[in-house]
Amino acid sequence: MAPALSGTLGASSVAALRPRAARGAPSAASSVAPRGSGAARCPRGVRWEAERSRGRIVRIRCDAAVTEKPAGEEAAEEKFEYQAEVSRLMDLIVHSLYSHKEVFLRELVSNASDALDKLRFLGVTDSSLLADGGELEIRIKPDPDAGTITITDTGVGMTKDELKDCLGTIAQSGTSKFLKALKENKDLGSDNGLIGQFGVGFYSAFLVAEKVVVSTKSPKSDKQYVWEAVADSSSYVIKEETDPEKMLTRGTQITLFLRPDDKYEFADPSRIQGLVKNYSQFVSFPIYTWQEKSRTVEVEEDEEPKEGEEATEGEKQKKKKTITEKYWDWELANETKPIWMRNPKEIKKTEYNEFYKKTFNEFLDPLAHTHFTTEGEVEFRSVLYVPGMAPLSNEEIMNPKTKNIRLYVKRVFISDDFDGELFPRYLSFVKGVVDSNDLPLNVSREILQESRIVSYGQNACQFLTSKIEILKIILLEIEIYFTRDRDLFSAQIIGDILFFFQVRIMRKRLVRKTFDMIEELAEKEDKEDYKKFWESFGKFIKLGCIEDTGNHKRLAPLLRFHSSKNESDTISLDQYVENMPESQKAIYYIATDSLQSAKTAPFLEKLVQKDIEVLYLIEPIDEVAIQNLQTYKEKKFVDISKEDLELGDEEEENKETKQEFTLLCDWVKQQLGDKVAKVQISKRLSSSPCVLVSGKFGWSANMERLMKAQTLGDTSSLEFMRGRRIFEINPDHPIIKDLNAACKNEPESTEAKRAVELLYEAALISSGYTPESPAELGGKIYEMMVIALGGRWGRSDTEEAEATTTGEASAEADSSEGTVTEVIEPSEVRPESDPWRD
């Protein structure tokens, strides 16, 4: 019979595992533990046993039986060991867990760091282990000519038996065993800084190496041993080191013989330096890399004698010359210290700024920063920054993969490639580091991202979503079960499911801390910093109003807009609400393409007259953001360019005026036809003759303009979403009074009809719409100008005809006589009444 998977849970915890199942479908809880006590039989020889103890503790046991025999008969049992093709298993481990070859250096440096940590812990009780071994450090030496990389540490080293146990046994983690020993020995305590978990990180060396040689010397042994293995092989060799030149005082030296395809990339010293800075920059031990450097030196050379002069050897003068020579030396690769591991009270602002500039290659100081530690379901430390300037490219606003958040596990870099998982897209401008001890380190982030969305992962945890702590307990036991010489990859799947929940918790806390940081910046007495922030990242905050409905209460106070009372500066929604009169029940806004258009819009006339403030939405994203907010502090947002505008304290309309202009409204509607839905008396105009407002549920003029400009916009939806247009007239305007007289006295007048057409076209433009035929509109304006300007300055038709006749006669005379006509500039023409005329 196969080994059993068992676990102990509280009775309430087991009850929490049973969700409500759909009708006709078995519940997820029933698939884990059948109802009732005793033993229950399941398909394929799986038997679950539930035992109750002390009334509150339930022990669940699952036995996978090979066969089922009737009671009373004893079946002969044979025990077999799992067999595996080692070369195939190694290939799966190397090429399935890691998608990027470069992570091999991260894994090997992490192993070296663990070896140094182990020695440091053991040296607390036995100081002799630290003697004659030098400093605790890691050195990496690439050799482009030989095509090798040598990684040396002065850590604890390994004996021959430990070599067999750690490197000869796949998925045997020496770090995990060491941690277990530390926990059992309370005098030594335990540590969370050790990195290794699953015991497969070492084999990532075969991603780039065709042969690996490990030379190690343990302070517990007088002998030094060498472990050798070739890629795609099922065996390895261990021998004693006899060469005196290769002897180590203490520690381990790993030499990778690179594959021909990877030799030119990973044997490059600058490439190795870059990988160390990227992945292992904050490892707690110094990491040195072998780098080519240059220096300026002075050399002496013989000065040649001048012509005609001869000098003996003793009389020759020495001349000094400065040259640049190249040499190789060790260079510290991880000089930047992990600032998030320190107490925030002990760190100065200048230190935060320097860390930000070095880590993210910035030249400006950040506008704000926050340093915090969270505990509970997921423990992590983080330092977040608001950059000093906006991204140079607007494409970064739409790109969630900005690589601005760097995820570390125990100070080892894991990834900066997150598709909106740690931060939403609208906060992608925030930069920072996140360091957690609870996330798995042995695989690349890309594999975790893909495996967490598989269907069996979702089915496995559909009944565990009630309590995260229950999920951790169950998954921990399943993980332990699978890692005991079982399917390593199944254990990794369980780890991915746990990772999914951990990342969600981290995201929630990171977003909350980011809002706290931005709010603190907004509340500062010096408003210049937040003004810079808004100019750089205001679009991101508005995007959040569209995408994140759950955080509207935190996003809305951060918004800033120009208004009719603050044209030069911006105000917040809180300031707007404070300035509102008691009778005002809504927040009014108008959306246009520029600040100047908003100032001169005819929709504002009545509101400005009544001293009602109106917000100016002048950026394309503004109107969509406000529409998604809908309300702020129980005040609705109202677009003043749409119908049914209510100003709160309106006086009752004059019935006589309404009756007087009813005929005009019907006549204008008849002339315009389907261009407008209706014509009515306006409540919002005071100086303009008319305005064109949009329907309550259709696009505004600004939104219609934006949708027409979309490259991939659907033209078929324009007519549907455009909504109806209402033509509003101002009865107090002289033009409207003249048209009212025309419709009563001469309704068939051509000039009056043309005036209505021109009035509609003018209202179309002043209201923010685009005329369908600009050329036709121009022609109408020219005709009206001819009518308006004809004879205004005393030039009659007779004078015009005489001038034309005189001009023709002069032209004929000039052509016959061949005389040159004198051209008089317009500035020289003086009227008779000019007092300055000679």
Side-chain angles (χ1 to χ4, degrees):
M1 184 170 292
L5 168 63
S6 64
T8 302
L9 298 173
S12 59
S13 301
V14 174
L17 298 178
R18 297 177 179 172
R20 298 177 180 176
R23 182 179 298 177
S27 66
S30 63
S31 63
V32 177
R35 297 179 180 177
S37 59
R41 303 192 184 281
C42 303
R44 300 185 182 180
V46 178
R47 185 179 65 189
W48 290 87
E49 293 182 358
E51 302 175 359
R52 186 176 298 272
S53 176
R54 297 181 182 177
R56 294 185 61 83
I57 303 299
V58 175
R59 184 170 183 84
I60 300 175
R61 181 175 181 84
C62 173
D63 293 332
V66 179
T67 58
E68 293 286 349
K69 291 289 185 179
E73 295 185 13
E74 294 185 359
E77 293 184 352
E78 294 184 54
K79 186 176 181 180
F80 298 95
E81 295 290 337
Y82 285 104
Q83 302 297 319
E85 186 179 345
V86 179
S87 59
R88 176 60 178 162
L89 183 59
M90 285 286 293
D91 181 71
L92 287 173
I93 290 176
V94 172
H95 296 96
S96 297
L97 291 184
Y98 304 101
S99 59
H100 300 289
K101 291 183 177 181
E102 62 186 31
V103 300
F104 81 93
L105 191 62
R106 179 194 74 182
E107 299 301 319
L108 296 180
V109 170
S110 299
N111 288 345
S113 176
D114 280 353
L116 294 169
D117 264 327
K118 294 174 189 177
L119 182 64
R120 186 180 62 184
F121 292 140
L122 296 175
V124 174
T125 56
D126 188 358
S127 59
S128 62
L129 298 176
L130 298 173
D132 302 330
E135 298 292 332
L136 299 180
E137 61 185 16
I138 303 170
R139 294 183 180 268
I140 306 173
K141 185 175 183 179
D143 189 341
D145 297 331
T148 62
I149 301 175
T150 304
I151 304 172
T152 306
D153 68 75
T154 57
V156 70
M158 290 177 282
T159 62
K160 184 177 181 180
D161 293 336
E162 289 173 339
L163 274 176
K164 294 179 184 179
D165 191 31
C166 296
L167 302 187
T169 304
I170 299 175
Q172 176 67 49
S173 173
T175 300
S176 297
K177 295 177 65 177
F178 183 75
L179 283 174
K180 183 178 180 181
L182 286 178
K183 291 178 181 179
E184 291 176 354
N185 190 343
K186 296 182 180 180
D187 294 336
L188 292 177
S190 60
D191 179 73
N192 290 327
L194 294 174
I195 302 168
Q197 294 179 25
F198 287 95
V200 295
F202 168 78
Y203 306 105
S204 64
F206 291 105
L207 286 168
V208 297
E210 57 185 5
K211 179 183 176 181
V212 178
V213 177
V214 179
S215 182
T216 181
K217 170 70 168 60
S218 173
K220 301 177 183 178
S221 174
D222 296 334
K223 296 181 180 180
Q224 181 174 325
Y225 294 95
V226 179
W227 182 96
E228 292 186 13
V230 180
D232 303 326
S233 175
S234 59
S235 61
Y236 58 90
V237 175
I238 296 179
K239 62 182 180 180
E240 184 180 346
E241 182 62 76
T242 57
D243 189 350
E245 296 182 356
K246 298 181 179 180
M247 287 296 178
L248 301 173
T249 307
R250 182 191 68 230
T252 302
Q253 184 178 82
I254 302 175
T255 303
L256 309 182
F257 294 85
L258 300 176
R259 300 175 187 269
D261 296 340
D262 302 315
K263 184 182 300 183
Y264 299 101
E265 178 182 1
F266 295 109
D268 183 13
S270 60
R271 173 67 167 153
I272 295 298
Q273 178 88 342
L275 291 178
V276 172
K277 286 183 175 293
N278 186 40
Y279 286 103
S280 306
Q281 184 178 16
F282 301 110
V283 169
S284 54
F285 298 98
I287 303 174
Y288 297 93
T289 58
W290 190 247
Q291 297 292 322
E292 184 180 22
K293 301 182 180 181
S294 60
R295 58 189 173 190
T296 302
V297 296
E298 290 185 353
V299 296
E300 293 183 350
E301 62 179 6
D302 295 335
E303 184 179 2
E304 297 181 359
K306 297 180 180 179
E307 295 182 3
E309 296 181 1
E310 294 183 1
T312 60
E313 293 184 0
E315 296 177 351
K316 288 183 178 180
Q317 296 181 355
K318 299 292 184 179
K319 182 180 179 181
K320 291 185 178 181
K321 182 180 180 181
T322 302
I323 62 172
T324 302
E325 67 173 9
K326 295 183 177 181
Y327 68 102
W328 291 85
D329 198 2
W330 295 104
E331 181 177 327
L332 183 62
N334 60 336
E335 58 183 353
T336 305
K337 302 303 179 184
I339 199 171
W340 63 84
M341 301 298 294
R342 297 166 55 189
N343 187 347
K345 297 180 180 179
E346 300 175 355
I347 306 174
K348 298 179 181 178
K349 183 179 179 180
T350 55
E351 295 181 78
Y352 282 115
N353 294 348
E354 286 300 320
F355 176 82
Y356 168 76
K357 292 178 181 178
K358 289 183 179 179
T359 305
F360 299 100
N361 297 321
E362 292 285 348
F363 61 93
L364 291 178
D365 289 337
L367 292 176
H369 71 271
T370 180
H371 182 184
F372 60 93
T373 302
T374 63
E375 298 178 353
E377 296 167 350
V378 178
E379 297 183 3
F380 65 92
R381 298 170 180 263
S382 179
V383 179
L384 303 177
Y385 294 92
V386 174
M389 63 178 295
L392 298 177
S393 174
N394 288 332
E395 295 179 358
E396 294 191 23
I397 299 179
M398 301 301 296
N399 181 19
K401 298 183 178 181
T402 55
K403 299 184 181 298
N404 286 339
I405 299 298
R406 298 174 62 85
L407 177 63
Y408 293 82
V409 173
K410 300 174 183 177
R411 302 177 306 281
V412 176
F413 174 72
I414 302 301
S415 178
D416 57 4
D417 188 8
F418 297 99
D419 191 5
E421 292 179 344
L422 283 181
F423 268 91
R425 182 171 64 159
Y426 67 91
L427 291 179
S428 59
F429 64 90
V430 177
K431 298 186 177 184
V433 295
V434 179
D435 188 3
S436 174
N437 293 343
D438 296 335
L439 301 181
L441 178 64
N442 65 306
V443 293
S444 70
R445 177 65 189 89
E446 182 179 351
I447 299 298
L448 285 171
Q449 181 178 351
E450 293 174 356
S451 63
R452 70 171 176 81
I453 60 175
V454 293
S455 59
Y456 55 81
Q458 294 175 348
N459 295 334
C461 63
Q462 64 178 353
F463 61 95
L464 299 173
T465 56
S466 58
K467 291 185 178 180
I468 190 68
E469 293 299 331
I470 297 177
L471 174 67
K472 286 184 178 181
I473 295 172
I474 296 177
L475 294 184
L476 181 61
E477 293 205 7
I478 296 176
E479 187 175 4
I480 294 172
Y481 170 75
F482 278 119
T483 52
R484 288 176 182 168
D485 300 328
R486 297 283 187 252
D487 186 358
L488 175 65
F489 306 105
S490 297
Q492 186 55 51
I493 292 171
I494 302 302
D496 295 345
I497 299 173
L498 181 59
F499 180 86
F500 170 75
F501 285 96
Q502 290 173 325
V503 169
R504 289 298 175 185
I505 297 172
M506 291 174 64
R507 172 192 170 104
K508 184 177 180 180
R509 295 181 180 177
L510 288 171
V511 170
R512 186 174 69 244
K513 288 294 184 179
T514 301
F515 279 130
D516 293 341
M517 174 175 57
I518 299 175
E519 287 172 0
E520 184 179 350
L521 182 65
E523 293 171 359
K524 289 175 61 176
E525 294 183 1
D526 185 6
K527 300 299 181 182
E528 286 299 320
D529 287 342
Y530 192 77
K531 186 177 180 180
K532 293 178 182 178
F533 167 81
W534 185 252
E535 291 175 354
S536 300
F537 308 108
K539 293 180 180 179
F540 289 84
I541 302 300
K542 296 171 185 176
L543 180 63
C545 296
I546 301 172
E547 295 187 342
D548 192 354
T549 57
N551 282 311
H552 275 178
K553 291 184 178 180
R554 306 208 68 175
L555 286 165
L558 301 177
L559 296 175
R560 297 293 185 271
F561 299 102
H562 292 280
S563 73
S564 56
K565 295 184 178 180
N566 292 273
E567 296 178 353
S568 59
D569 200 2
T570 59
I571 65 169
S572 66
L573 295 179
D574 287 328
Q575 290 174 305
Y576 182 96
V577 174
E578 289 176 4
N579 297 334
M580 286 174 52
E582 295 182 0
S583 59
Q584 185 176 339
K585 304 300 181 182
I587 300 175
Y588 299 105
Y589 71 89
I590 181 172
T592 61
D593 59 346
S594 67
L595 185 59
Q596 184 62 30
S597 298
K599 293 178 183 178
T600 57
F603 306 101
L604 289 170
E605 294 174 359
K606 208 70 163 182
L607 288 93
V608 172
Q609 204 175 63
K610 293 187 175 185
D611 197 29
I612 298 176
E613 191 171 12
V614 179
L615 296 178
Y616 295 158
L617 311 187
I618 58 177
E619 292 188 355
I621 197 175
D622 288 352
E623 186 174 2
V624 184
I626 288 296
Q627 289 175 352
N628 277 269
L629 286 179
Q630 296 182 354
T631 61
Y632 181 72
K633 291 187 176 180
E634 300 180 355
K635 305 287 185 180
K636 288 186 177 181
F637 289 98
V638 175
D639 187 351
I640 64 172
S641 67
K642 293 192 174 184
E643 64 173 328
D644 296 337
L645 178 65
E646 298 179 0
L647 301 180
D649 57 346
E650 299 174 354
E651 298 179 359
E652 294 184 1
E653 298 180 8
N654 190 344
K655 295 182 179 180
E656 295 180 0
T657 304
K658 188 175 182 180
Q659 291 177 358
E660 180 182 356
F661 287 90
T662 299
L663 181 62
L664 175 63
C665 293
D666 295 338
W667 181 72
V668 173
K669 175 64 174 74
Q670 184 181 0
Q671 304 307 318
L672 297 179
D674 295 335
K675 293 180 180 179
V676 297
K678 63 179 179 179
V679 180
Q680 64 185 20
I681 303 298
S682 179
K683 304 174 185 177
R684 68 192 87 205
L685 296 178
S686 61
S687 58
S688 299
C690 58
V691 71
L692 202 62
V693 301
S694 57
K696 191 173 184 180
F697 301 104
W699 282 339
S700 65
N702 182 66
M703 184 60 66
E704 185 176 326
R705 175 182 59 83
L706 294 175
M707 296 308 295
K708 284 182 178 180
Q710 297 298 314
T711 304
L712 302 177
D714 184 9
T715 55
S716 62
S717 65
L718 288 177
E719 290 297 325
F720 176 75
M721 290 300 298
R722 186 177 69 176
R724 60 179 190 165
R725 297 175 180 176
I726 295 114
F727 191 64
E728 294 187 355
I729 58 175
N730 181 7
D732 298 327
H733 199 277
I735 295 178
I736 302 302
K737 291 180 179 180
D738 290 341
L739 288 177
N740 188 34
C743 78
K744 292 179 179 179
N745 302 325
E746 196 175 349
E748 299 299 329
S749 172
T750 305
E751 288 78 6
K753 293 180 179 180
R754 290 168 61 185
V756 170
E757 290 288 340
L758 186 60
L759 199 64
Y760 169 77
E761 298 285 352
L764 200 69
I765 296 176
S766 64
S767 301
Y769 293 99
T770 303
E772 296 179 358
S773 178
E776 185 179 348
L777 173 61
K780 294 177 181 178
I781 295 174
Y782 299 151
E783 291 178 5
M784 298 297 290
M785 290 179 65
V786 169
I787 297 173
L789 300 179
R792 177 178 290 273
W793 292 284
R795 189 180 181 100
S796 63
D797 294 340
T798 305
E799 292 176 350
E800 186 176 340
E802 290 177 357
T804 304
T805 305
T806 305
E808 292 176 354
S810 300
E812 292 176 0
D814 292 342
S815 60
S816 61
E817 297 177 4
T819 59
V820 179
T821 304
E822 182 183 0
V823 179
I824 301 176
E825 295 294 331
S827 60
E828 297 180 5
V829 178
R830 304 288 181 86
E832 293 292 335
S833 60
D834 189 355
W836 299 98
R837 185 184 179 94
D838 295 333

